[in-house]
Amino acid sequence: MSSEKKPVERRQRGYDELRDESGEVREAWKPLAEAVVKMSPAEYARRHDVAQRLLSDNGVTYNVYDENEGHARRWRLDILPFVLAPEEWAKIEAGVIQRARLANALAADIYGPQRLIMEGYLPPHIVYGHPQFLRPLVGFEPPGGVFVHSYSVDLARVADGSWKVMASRADAVSGIGYALENRIVVGQVFADLFADMRVQRLAEFFQAHREAVQSLAGQGRAVLLSPGPHNEAYFEHAFLAHYLDLTLVEGDDLVVHDDRVYLKTLRGLDQVAVIFRRVDSDFCDPLELRGDSALGVPGLLQAVRAKNVVLANALGGSVVESPALDAYMHGAAEALLGEELLIPDIPTIWCGTEWGREEALSRLEHGILRGAFDSRPLFSRRSSAKLGRDLTPAETIALKARLERRGATLVTQDIVPPGDAPIFADGTFTTKPVTVRVFAAWTKNGYQIMPGGLARVSDDDSIKSLSLQSGALSKDVWIPTTGPVSTFSLLRQTKEDVAVQRTGNSPPSRAMDNLFWLGRYSERADNLGRTLRTIVQRRGEGGDGAMQSFLCDFLQAVVPAKLPRNDAQWLLTTLRALIADRAAPDSLPQLLSRVRRTAWSARDRLSLETWQTIYLMTEPDMLPSSGQIFGSAEALTCLDRLVRHSAAFAGHCAENMTRGPNWLFTDLGRRIERSLHLAWLVGQITASAALSESERLRIALEISSSVMTYRSRYLNAYHLAPLLDLLLLDDSNPRSVAFQLAAAERSLEELERITPKGQGTAAVLYARALRKTTEQEGILAEIADSPTALSAHLERLSAGVAGLSDAITDAYFRHAIRHRTGGEKRED
């Protein structure tokens, strides 16, 4: 390592978590350190690879939208856990419980009597000047007086071994789901060590919190409100909803009637009693708060004031997170709790006073400058934080002027180099800066601390790299215990009789809309993959000019030409664009991207195995990259693999999904799309005269995966009438239009049975009438003998299937649509 000043200064000041002053491994770390040191580098690397594979298979991501064109980034986990001794943890536990109580008391005072302002403990501007101070809630007291149900605090250990609070969260708390996922993965990677060290478990904490919040509410559904799949922590939202038996919803899924919140489901409106909130307060109600918010529920504040729904956390907690408030937390604790802070904040100066401005300038060289109300993690994306020593002379002059004009909008905080956590690499320990996020939850017995946490380790020696958005690694936090380890599980165990039932809660309409389009997009990608595979095969076989001309005509029907047809390389260029160009509209990479985005939106509705199959099918390396030169062999290998993964997904749907709404809508989407594709395919094959009929018919059979069925009936005698019967009219062939329409009719009949009377009747009648067009007497002879009749029949069939899709939307999705998640307006 070079002799740069900053890393050397850090190591001199940081607290070594692994070793004491004499260089000996600390007692709490010894079992872990001894076990890891005994491992060969190859064994440790194997465990690391297992962990990364588990994270990948589980689809664990943390989205950063100013990188990689907004694509999700894989969650970064260092498998070596962060260990805290029981006696150390007891101090943290007491301090964080106190901070949670204080956060709740602060929110109650700010939106209640405002005694801190009246008695001079808190400058008025820190409350009234906060952009997220919600004036419509002044005077409101939530059920049970609980504002802060979930709370988190970021801790750093300073050189003397004590802890400081770097930041806290009391509004929409994040990170707890990632901490739980880390525990699951690391617990598997070091299963024996986890048991031997008697590490405290997490399930009891989650159970106590869930039961406590639900006890505050009346009868109704409990949901987790998420901003949606574009949020950076959407994986966590889906994961927590599944773990806590909550319905994952977005703002579009909820509606307020008569001061009550309802969930829009297939069966109508279900009242919501509890909302576990992951949407920032000011976005929650566009009617009374931010009018530009598309994430909230119009009228939600009125339902909250009427106490017809419990929000966890209650709205308005952003004020409590304010960095400016950190400067006054000591006095607030004495005034509201009558207690000294057990864990103090990092030294903070609010620049809203003359003394504060002078003090800020004097500390600037060794401090951090940031917005007074900017509670984003330090140096994260869009954070206002800057190191004072990094300011240029011109910036320093501008800062002085700003302090005079608007000093109340700024704070300075001392640089507190955090302790160093061990990283194990290449058979030895190194250290990196670390902070620990600890979580508290309100329960019937007061606040309870999750016995673990989310540690974040810098990628380098800079405090600028401790944000997850800046690429920091995460670690599981282990708290060994000398007493018994709880064996409690969230898997319910009860001696009471349980009523047998074959249906669950009615799902949100939006989720079913997403599954419908997942079926459509996945089938569309499969159809395109099979079509391109056949074209690549035929092109690779060579053939005369007639074959090449047919392939060009056929490919041009797949997608509008990108190059003039007189270009000798048109076929090859267009094939490569459709297979590999991620920017080309209607290309295979574009379709697979839609499949993944739509599946991600319905993540909580898919089993782990089904999600893993979709994940593999849509991996970017499934296909060649845009700039990669590839030939027929490489293209066929990729397309074959895609078709296999697509078949695996269809198999998971067919064999693993119960025949409830999730399966019904996914299957309906697939039936609609396959019907449209088959009608298109037959039309293209029969309209061309560039190739012999037998060759064209064989191509159609290959694309539709019906070659073996045809041969078993007709050997190698290729004629139009048998092909039309097989692909259009034979309801025993899973690759025929008749089969798709019959399956769609059955699914719609089942949906009509499980939804309110009359809701799906029109769609069933439409499907039934459409299906009967394939059973008309003499239809085969009519369309086989007349190209004009065949063309008209196929046009009516395509229009009818598109109309069936509209009928399904009108019956079940119309009230759920605000925008199309897959990036596409309804086009059929």
Side-chain angles (χ1 to χ4, degrees), residues 15-17 26 29 82-96 99 153-167 341-347 416-421 433-438 452 454-456 477-479:
Y15 180 91
D16 192 333
E17 297 285 351
R26 299 183 189 276
W29 283 87
F82 184 83
V83 182
L84 285 167
E87 60 274 12
E88 192 67 37
W89 179 249
K91 299 176 185 177
I92 292 175
E93 189 172 27
V96 174
R99 301 289 302 215
V153 61
D154 292 341
L155 301 176
R157 179 126 58 174
V158 295
D160 64 2
S162 63
W163 295 92
K164 299 285 187 184
V165 173
M166 305 286 287
L341 282 178
L342 299 177
I343 305 179
D345 296 89
I346 56 175
V416 179
D420 292 330
V434 63
T435 60
V436 180
R437 179 168 292 181
V438 181
L454 181 67
R456 294 174 295 176
V477 177
W478 284 12
I479 315 298

Side-chain angles (χ1 to χ4, degrees), residues 9 38 378 444:
E9 183 182 1
K38 290 177 182 177
L378 283 172
K444 294 178 182 179

